[in-house]
Amino acid sequence: MATKKVNWNGGIQPEAMDILRAEGGMIVCPTKVGYIIMTSDKQGLERKFEAKQRNRNKPGVVLCGSMEQLKSLAELNPEIEAFYQSHWDADILLGCILPWKKEAINNLPDDGLRELMMDGRETSCFVIKFGKPGEMIAKSLWEDHGKFTFASSANPSGKGNRGMVEYIGERIEERADLIVCANDYVKSIQPEESQDSRYEQGVMVSMVDKEGRLVPEQAGERKVKPCPVLIRKGLDVNKIINLMSARFNSWDYRHGDYY
């Protein structure tokens, strides 16, 4: 078991790239808020669901290593793109529920990947600035190998890993091909927080209505509906609320209204 664990090298972990470039690879990687499972194709997603024993009806999490990747995959409007850009520039972890671009969907392999990476509304949670260890992997997989990066928290469903590799759970530890360890990196993001007070997730904002259609541009108008909805609080929530208030006159806060 110990041989599959490696300490993060501070750059692109070559062992992780080798595994995720191959078919069906699955690794555990540190982020700003804890450890995640990372996969890059349909076979890897199947392994992730089996390892997590997780419900399949939730929107998939797509990790974007660049704004260019985000814009090529997700349907955006200028206001939402600018909202993302402000978080990119400030290095703030952000995930938004967005529809997939039709051309991006049409380019997916016809092997069942589509059903595992999005919900029935054809939406996923597109995440940026989730932490250097994984960001560099996701960027290289996309730009150099044309592969996606999908994620899920590396812990039994409903339980946190407390930002420590020791708590990802036996089931995930047994099934992962590689575990990249960096407890000190995770701790450095929230250095003043304890295991009980730290955030174990990022903020999630829904940018779609109940049918999965993108919310309309507001163009400075008030009382626009449907509007962006913050559906999960997390790391840097106060900074994100400030950026939402600056960008949108109308938005809602509904923590726990995930899907």
Side-chain angles (χ1 to χ4, degrees), residues 94-234:
L94 175 70
C96 294
I97 306 295
L98 294 165
W100 279 76
K101 280 188 171 180
K102 295 302 181 184
E103 53 267 37
I105 292 176
N106 292 337
N107 288 330
L108 295 175
D110 187 20
D111 63 356
L113 173 64
R114 173 175 170 173
E115 288 73 24
L116 295 180
M117 63 194 271
M118 61 185 74
D119 61 9
R121 307 174 303 173
E122 297 186 344
T123 72
S124 293
C125 182
F126 293 87
V127 180
I128 62 167
K129 291 296 181 179
F130 43 94
K132 292 298 182 184
E135 286 176 39
M136 290 186 283
I137 292 171
K139 182 177 174 66
S140 181
L141 281 173
W142 178 254
E143 294 182 356
D144 301 329
H145 307 285
K147 299 202 73 169
F148 300 99
T149 309
F150 307 113
S152 185
S153 57
N155 45 261
S157 285
K159 298 181 180 180
N161 55 53
R162 292 176 263 180
M164 300 181 68
V165 73
E166 292 82 2
Y167 297 111
I168 63 174
E170 290 184 9
R171 185 181 181 91
I172 290 173
E173 186 168 339
E174 288 172 356
R175 284 160 171 75
D177 299 317
L178 178 76
I179 300 170
V180 181
C181 306
N183 287 352
D184 289 345
Y185 172 79
V186 179
K187 175 68 174 176
S188 73
I189 305 300
Q190 302 177 78
E192 306 303 320
E193 304 299 330
S194 69
Q195 287 186 10
D196 294 326
S197 64
R198 64 182 297 278
Y199 279 115
E200 294 191 333
Q201 68 282 321
V203 169
M204 189 182 296
V205 179
S206 175
M207 294 292 187
V208 297
D209 64 16
K210 292 182 178 179
E211 284 71 44
R213 295 179 299 238
L214 203 66
V215 297
E217 289 189 71
Q218 297 186 4
E221 295 296 320
R222 302 178 183 181
K223 299 182 180 180
V224 176
K225 288 191 176 183
C227 62
V229 182
L230 196 156
I231 58 176
R232 189 178 72 187
K233 64 182 177 180

